[in-house]
Amino acid sequence: MTIDSIVNGVVIDHIKAGKSMEIYNLLNLGELDSQIAIIKNAPSKLMGKKDIIKIASDMELDLKVLGYIDPDITVNTIKNGVLVEKKHLELPDVVNDVIKCKNPRCITTVEQDIHHIFKLTDRANRVYRCLYCEAKAKED
Amino acid sequence: MNHLIDIMDLSVEEIDELIATARDIIANPEKYQEKCRYKKLATLFFEPSTRTRLSFEAAMMELGGKVLGFSDAGSSSSSKGESVSDTVAVVSGYADIIAMRHPKEGAPMVASMKSGVPIINAGDGGHNHPTQTLADLLTIKMEKGHFDNLTIGFCGDLKFGRTVHSLVAAMSRYPGVKFVLISPDELKLPSYVKNTYIKDKNIPYVQTNSLDDVIGELDILYMTRVQKERFFNEEDYLRLKDSYILTADKMKNASDDMIVMHPLPRVNEISTDIDSDKRACYFRQTKYGKYMRMALILKLLEVD
């Protein structure tokens, strides 16, 4: 399958296979009025297979959100057909209003207008916990 | 602004200071009876807890202060749908300090972000109950004389027992401590508590289903109640509620200087015939709780 290279824009590369739609939704890419290509299960020497998102417009991506989802993702900025910047991500210390707490006993399930904040509590195992109730962001 | 949301908000040194103040209050109560004159404590209890609320109110009264508040959500504006943030924003205009209990976990943290006065977490669901831990720590200090080199057994509901989680965390900071975790498989200590405060700190521990097998090794036996309100279904509660009951017969195998603690209220997990045993200190524990709450109020209000 061939997808044209972009002239100006951003390529989100090395996405774990199957994760691209989650990123598309969390970054609200559906609201963008520009060409976007989502490539799923592309062959990768490094990863076996991977997903890629190509966005044909200059935009500031929320790197914290991306870093939270997967710090192994790379973000390439393309200008005039040339790769001008390659960013490697890292796990953010705090994630603000990206995900919601799933603990039914958490105050965030009832309190209106509250910020949903998660803190990185275990970098090695990529564990985030709700600031309020300390429940894990993702259950194993 | 100082708040107490989690016992780990306090350093070991701050806990030592609170204990020293509490002991001075016990020795010289008259010195403290006017310390909080003209100050008001609001007790915002969105979930009933007579014991904790009365302890806070007695603490403030013994400091010469006054109290106001409500004792269940039905008699507060939250029954009209008001948020915790709004309630606290209003009440912090009326009181100098707030003690808050709420069934939702993390509610006191939300309150602390909106409050203009110190917030004390008086229990948030199955999450934290730091003033109970302060009561537990003073009990250990008064009854055993030290925190280091103790073998502490926790028995009963270690999964939902928030007082257990907080006391494990607090005691994990002292050298030579050993934990014995006694519970049915369904109510074992959550792995994140075990990993963070026991395994990662290389603290020796034993996990067992049998109280009889280990009671002889303990310096402290911390009993807990299997709480109905922490279960989502009645069936699990009924199956597990009588899992561990401490009887006079079991106490025969315990050492003469082991102490029995319990955050109370108890249902049937400690036989009443143990109450007269000198090793049973759960009623003294409630009194120590009041003194620690007094010390905490003084600290948070920055009263000398």
mmCIF file of all heavy atoms in Angstrom, chain B residues 272-293:
data_model
loop_
_atom_site.group_PDB
_atom_site.id
_atom_site.type_symbol
_atom_site.label_atom_id
_atom_site.label_comp_id
_atom_site.label_asym_id
_atom_site.label_seq_id
_atom_site.Cartn_x
_atom_site.Cartn_y
_atom_site.Cartn_z
ATOM 1 N N THR B 272 -16.107 -10.158 73.988
ATOM 2 C CA THR B 272 -16.136 -9.150 75.056
ATOM 3 C C THR B 272 -15.396 -9.632 76.313
ATOM 4 O O THR B 272 -14.989 -8.812 77.125
ATOM 5 C CB THR B 272 -17.588 -8.787 75.424
ATOM 6 O OG1 THR B 272 -18.305 -10.000 75.648
ATOM 7 C CG2 THR B 272 -18.256 -7.997 74.313
ATOM 8 N N ASP B 273 -15.206 -10.945 76.431
ATOM 9 C CA ASP B 273 -14.483 -11.411 77.629
ATOM 10 C C ASP B 273 -12.997 -11.038 77.583
ATOM 11 O O ASP B 273 -12.290 -11.191 78.577
ATOM 12 C CB ASP B 273 -14.691 -12.922 77.875
ATOM 13 C CG ASP B 273 -14.361 -13.776 76.680
ATOM 14 O OD1 ASP B 273 -13.870 -13.217 75.683
ATOM 15 O OD2 ASP B 273 -14.586 -14.999 76.741
ATOM 16 N N ILE B 274 -12.528 -10.524 76.463
ATOM 17 C CA ILE B 274 -11.133 -10.054 76.387
ATOM 18 C C ILE B 274 -11.018 -8.613 76.902
ATOM 19 O O ILE B 274 -9.927 -8.160 77.260
ATOM 20 C CB ILE B 274 -10.605 -10.175 74.936
ATOM 21 C CG1 ILE B 274 -10.517 -11.657 74.561
ATOM 22 C CG2 ILE B 274 -9.240 -9.513 74.755
ATOM 23 C CD1 ILE B 274 -10.142 -11.908 73.130
ATOM 24 N N ASP B 275 -12.139 -7.919 76.970
ATOM 25 C CA ASP B 275 -12.098 -6.496 77.341
ATOM 26 C C ASP B 275 -11.376 -6.244 78.669
ATOM 27 O O ASP B 275 -10.722 -5.215 78.838
ATOM 28 C CB ASP B 275 -13.513 -5.902 77.425
ATOM 29 C CG ASP B 275 -14.206 -5.888 76.076
ATOM 30 O OD1 ASP B 275 -13.551 -6.256 75.072
ATOM 31 O OD2 ASP B 275 -15.391 -5.515 76.014
ATOM 32 N N SER B 276 -11.505 -7.176 79.608
ATOM 33 C CA SER B 276 -10.893 -6.977 80.922
ATOM 34 C C SER B 276 -9.423 -7.422 80.951
ATOM 35 O O SER B 276 -8.722 -7.203 81.945
ATOM 36 C CB SER B 276 -11.698 -7.735 81.985
ATOM 37 O OG SER B 276 -11.805 -9.090 81.595
ATOM 38 N N ASP B 277 -8.946 -8.025 79.871
ATOM 39 C CA ASP B 277 -7.540 -8.441 79.754
ATOM 40 C C ASP B 277 -6.678 -7.175 79.642
ATOM 41 O O ASP B 277 -6.980 -6.286 78.841
ATOM 42 C CB ASP B 277 -7.403 -9.309 78.487
ATOM 43 C CG ASP B 277 -6.054 -10.001 78.372
ATOM 44 O OD1 ASP B 277 -5.025 -9.352 78.637
ATOM 45 O OD2 ASP B 277 -6.044 -11.181 77.996
ATOM 46 N N LYS B 278 -5.619 -7.075 80.404
ATOM 47 C CA LYS B 278 -4.801 -5.848 80.383
ATOM 48 C C LYS B 278 -4.169 -5.608 79.002
ATOM 49 O O LYS B 278 -3.780 -4.501 78.671
ATOM 50 C CB LYS B 278 -3.725 -5.889 81.474
ATOM 51 C CG LYS B 278 -2.631 -6.908 81.253
ATOM 52 C CD LYS B 278 -1.531 -6.766 82.292
ATOM 53 C CE LYS B 278 -0.458 -7.829 82.224
ATOM 54 N NZ LYS B 278 0.166 -8.112 80.959
ATOM 55 N N ARG B 279 -4.052 -6.664 78.223
ATOM 56 C CA ARG B 279 -3.454 -6.530 76.895
ATOM 57 C C ARG B 279 -4.403 -5.875 75.888
ATOM 58 O O ARG B 279 -3.983 -5.430 74.831
ATOM 59 C CB ARG B 279 -3.034 -7.905 76.374
ATOM 60 C CG ARG B 279 -1.909 -8.536 77.195
ATOM 61 C CD ARG B 279 -1.646 -9.969 76.801
ATOM 62 N NE ARG B 279 -2.747 -10.860 77.203
ATOM 63 C CZ ARG B 279 -2.762 -12.164 77.011
ATOM 64 N NH1 ARG B 279 -1.731 -12.750 76.417
ATOM 65 N NH2 ARG B 279 -3.786 -12.901 77.406
ATOM 66 N N ALA B 280 -5.707 -5.850 76.218
ATOM 67 C CA ALA B 280 -6.687 -5.230 75.311
ATOM 68 C C ALA B 280 -6.628 -3.713 75.477
ATOM 69 O O ALA B 280 -6.946 -3.202 76.551
ATOM 70 C CB ALA B 280 -8.093 -5.736 75.640
ATOM 71 N N CYS B 281 -6.192 -2.997 74.465
ATOM 72 C CA CYS B 281 -6.053 -1.550 74.675
ATOM 73 C C CYS B 281 -6.919 -0.745 73.725
ATOM 74 O O CYS B 281 -6.705 0.452 73.551
ATOM 75 C CB CYS B 281 -4.593 -1.131 74.641
ATOM 76 S SG CYS B 281 -3.795 -1.421 73.118
ATOM 77 N N TYR B 282 -7.947 -1.361 73.115
ATOM 78 C CA TYR B 282 -8.738 -0.643 72.108
ATOM 79 C C TYR B 282 -9.571 0.495 72.677
ATOM 80 O O TYR B 282 -9.866 1.449 71.968
ATOM 81 C CB TYR B 282 -9.603 -1.583 71.265
ATOM 82 C CG TYR B 282 -10.043 -2.854 71.944
ATOM 83 C CD1 TYR B 282 -11.220 -2.904 72.681
ATOM 84 C CD2 TYR B 282 -9.272 -4.011 71.850
ATOM 85 C CE1 TYR B 282 -11.617 -4.079 73.306
ATOM 86 C CE2 TYR B 282 -9.659 -5.189 72.470
ATOM 87 C CZ TYR B 282 -10.842 -5.212 73.199
ATOM 88 O OH TYR B 282 -11.226 -6.367 73.817
ATOM 89 N N PHE B 283 -9.956 0.406 73.941
ATOM 90 C CA PHE B 283 -10.704 1.548 74.489
ATOM 91 C C PHE B 283 -9.754 2.687 74.865
ATOM 92 O O PHE B 283 -10.080 3.856 74.680
ATOM 93 C CB PHE B 283 -11.592 1.125 75.668
ATOM 94 C CG PHE B 283 -12.729 0.228 75.225
ATOM 95 C CD1 PHE B 283 -12.805 -1.090 75.653
ATOM 96 C CD2 PHE B 283 -13.697 0.701 74.348
ATOM 97 C CE1 PHE B 283 -13.839 -1.923 75.213
ATOM 98 C CE2 PHE B 283 -14.732 -0.134 73.912
ATOM 99 C CZ PHE B 283 -14.801 -1.443 74.343
ATOM 100 N N ARG B 284 -8.561 2.322 75.329
ATOM 101 C CA ARG B 284 -7.548 3.368 75.578
ATOM 102 C C ARG B 284 -7.163 4.032 74.250
ATOM 103 O O ARG B 284 -6.919 5.230 74.178
ATOM 104 C CB ARG B 284 -6.309 2.747 76.239
ATOM 105 C CG ARG B 284 -6.577 2.135 77.609
ATOM 106 C CD ARG B 284 -5.299 1.893 78.387
ATOM 107 N NE ARG B 284 -4.446 0.817 77.894
ATOM 108 C CZ ARG B 284 -4.657 -0.493 78.119
ATOM 109 N NH1 ARG B 284 -5.712 -0.899 78.813
ATOM 110 N NH2 ARG B 284 -3.810 -1.398 77.660
ATOM 111 N N GLN B 285 -7.140 3.223 73.205
ATOM 112 C CA GLN B 285 -6.787 3.712 71.860
ATOM 113 C C GLN B 285 -7.712 4.864 71.419
ATOM 114 O O GLN B 285 -7.261 5.832 70.814
ATOM 115 C CB GLN B 285 -6.926 2.519 70.909
ATOM 116 C CG GLN B 285 -6.333 2.652 69.544
ATOM 117 C CD GLN B 285 -6.530 1.339 68.761
ATOM 118 O OE1 GLN B 285 -6.852 0.288 69.330
ATOM 119 N NE2 GLN B 285 -6.351 1.397 67.465
ATOM 120 N N THR B 286 -9.005 4.751 71.726
ATOM 121 C CA THR B 286 -9.935 5.821 71.316
ATOM 122 C C THR B 286 -9.611 7.121 72.058
ATOM 123 O O THR B 286 -9.696 8.203 71.501
ATOM 124 C CB THR B 286 -11.404 5.446 71.609
ATOM 125 O OG1 THR B 286 -11.543 5.202 73.002
ATOM 126 C CG2 THR B 286 -11.834 4.232 70.828
ATOM 127 N N LYS B 287 -9.210 6.973 73.325
ATOM 128 C CA LYS B 287 -8.860 8.159 74.108
ATOM 129 C C LYS B 287 -7.583 8.800 73.567
ATOM 130 O O LYS B 287 -7.484 10.020 73.447
ATOM 131 C CB LYS B 287 -8.682 7.736 75.574
ATOM 132 C CG LYS B 287 -9.033 8.833 76.542
ATOM 133 C CD LYS B 287 -9.135 8.285 77.944
ATOM 134 C CE LYS B 287 -9.264 9.413 78.943
ATOM 135 N NZ LYS B 287 -9.293 8.933 80.312
ATOM 136 N N TYR B 288 -6.626 7.960 73.222
ATOM 137 C CA TYR B 288 -5.394 8.486 72.624
ATOM 138 C C TYR B 288 -5.724 9.238 71.325
ATOM 139 O O TYR B 288 -5.076 10.226 70.991
ATOM 140 C CB TYR B 288 -4.409 7.354 72.310
ATOM 141 C CG TYR B 288 -3.870 6.620 73.524
ATOM 142 C CD1 TYR B 288 -3.736 5.234 73.524
ATOM 143 C CD2 TYR B 288 -3.472 7.327 74.652
ATOM 144 C CE1 TYR B 288 -3.225 4.559 74.624
ATOM 145 C CE2 TYR B 288 -2.958 6.654 75.766
ATOM 146 C CZ TYR B 288 -2.847 5.276 75.741
ATOM 147 O OH TYR B 288 -2.344 4.609 76.828
ATOM 148 N N GLY B 289 -6.731 8.753 70.621
ATOM 149 C CA GLY B 289 -7.136 9.405 69.369
ATOM 150 C C GLY B 289 -7.558 10.838 69.600
ATOM 151 O O GLY B 289 -7.228 11.741 68.824
ATOM 152 N N LYS B 290 -8.272 11.057 70.674
ATOM 153 C CA LYS B 290 -8.720 12.426 70.994
ATOM 154 C C LYS B 290 -7.507 13.320 71.259
ATOM 155 O O LYS B 290 -7.444 14.450 70.763
ATOM 156 C CB LYS B 290 -9.630 12.394 72.221
ATOM 157 C CG LYS B 290 -10.148 13.762 72.625
ATOM 158 C CD LYS B 290 -10.874 13.728 73.965
ATOM 159 C CE LYS B 290 -9.929 13.460 75.122
ATOM 160 N NZ LYS B 290 -10.567 13.416 76.427
ATOM 161 N N TYR B 291 -6.533 12.809 72.000
ATOM 162 C CA TYR B 291 -5.349 13.636 72.308
ATOM 163 C C TYR B 291 -4.542 13.957 71.040
ATOM 164 O O TYR B 291 -4.021 15.062 70.892
ATOM 165 C CB TYR B 291 -4.457 12.931 73.343
ATOM 166 C CG TYR B 291 -5.129 12.795 74.688
ATOM 167 C CD1 TYR B 291 -5.289 11.555 75.290
ATOM 168 C CD2 TYR B 291 -5.623 13.918 75.351
ATOM 169 C CE1 TYR B 291 -5.926 11.435 76.529
ATOM 170 C CE2 TYR B 291 -6.261 13.797 76.586
ATOM 171 C CZ TYR B 291 -6.411 12.553 77.160
ATOM 172 O OH TYR B 291 -7.043 12.437 78.367
ATOM 173 N N MET B 292 -4.457 12.970 70.133
ATOM 174 C CA MET B 292 -3.722 13.231 68.892
ATOM 175 C C MET B 292 -4.478 14.235 68.018
ATOM 176 O O MET B 292 -3.870 15.059 67.328
ATOM 177 C CB MET B 292 -3.487 11.934 68.119
ATOM 178 C CG MET B 292 -2.309 11.136 68.608
ATOM 179 S SD MET B 292 -0.762 12.093 68.657
ATOM 180 C CE MET B 292 0.125 11.419 67.257
ATOM 181 N N ARG B 293 -5.809 14.173 68.046
ATOM 182 C CA ARG B 293 -6.589 15.159 67.274
ATOM 183 C C ARG B 293 -6.399 16.554 67.868
ATOM 184 O O ARG B 293 -6.330 17.544 67.131
ATOM 185 C CB ARG B 293 -8.065 14.745 67.223
ATOM 186 C CG ARG B 293 -8.263 13.513 66.360
ATOM 187 C CD ARG B 293 -9.703 13.072 66.186
ATOM 188 N NE ARG B 293 -9.737 11.949 65.264
ATOM 189 C CZ ARG B 293 -9.879 10.668 65.617
ATOM 190 N NH1 ARG B 293 -10.048 10.340 66.884
ATOM 191 N NH2 ARG B 293 -9.849 9.708 64.702
#
